[in-house]
């Protein structure tokens, strides 16, 4: 993602209370000493749609894709209830 040729990590972080709460996707790397460092925030949930971050995918070219939905995925699988957007 940062162009240095090393493999970076993308993490979907959720703080959920009864299937609600904020979530965000962050990009992580390691510094020269091997410590984990945050490259930055890719996206985050908000009160406006889309409010649910469901999944992440990184392409071979380093593009980060985040599956988002404007409805809660609760009660069944997210594919049954959520309205995905990309």
């Amino acid at each position: 993602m940062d162009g240095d040729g090393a493999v970076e990590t993308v993490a979907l972080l959720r703080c959920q209370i009864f299937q609600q709460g904020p979530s965000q996707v962050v990009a992580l790397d390691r510094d020269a000493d091997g410590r984990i460092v945050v490259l930055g925030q890719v996206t985050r949930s908000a009160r406006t749609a889309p409010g649910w971050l469901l999944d992440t995918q990184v392409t071979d070219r380093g593009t980060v894709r985040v599956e988002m939905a404007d409805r809660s995925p609760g009660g069944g699988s997210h594919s049954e209830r959520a309205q995905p957007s990309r």
Side-chain angles (χ1 to χ4, degrees):
M1 284 178 277
D2 61 3
D4 68 359
V7 175
E8 289 85 21
T9 300
V10 174
L12 172 55
L13 308 174
R14 293 185 178 126
C15 180
Q16 291 185 324
I17 303 167
F18 303 110
Q19 301 216 11
Q20 295 182 20
S23 57
Q24 65 178 325
V25 175
V26 295
L28 308 167
D29 200 1
R30 292 195 181 265
D31 66 14
D33 295 323
R35 293 181 299 236
I36 296 172
V37 294
V38 177
L39 291 176
Q41 184 181 68
V42 176
T43 191
R44 66 179 176 85
S45 62
R47 293 226 177 249
T48 58
W52 296 89
L53 306 182
L54 305 173
D55 197 13
T56 61
Q57 179 186 41
V58 181
T59 69
D60 291 339
R61 296 180 141 199
T63 301
V64 178
R65 293 182 177 166
V66 180
E67 183 178 4
M68 301 175 175
D70 62 354
R71 293 186 189 163
S72 167
S77 72
H78 67 76
S79 62
E80 293 173 11
R81 299 209 38 207
Q83 301 296 313
S85 63
R86 290 185 187 233

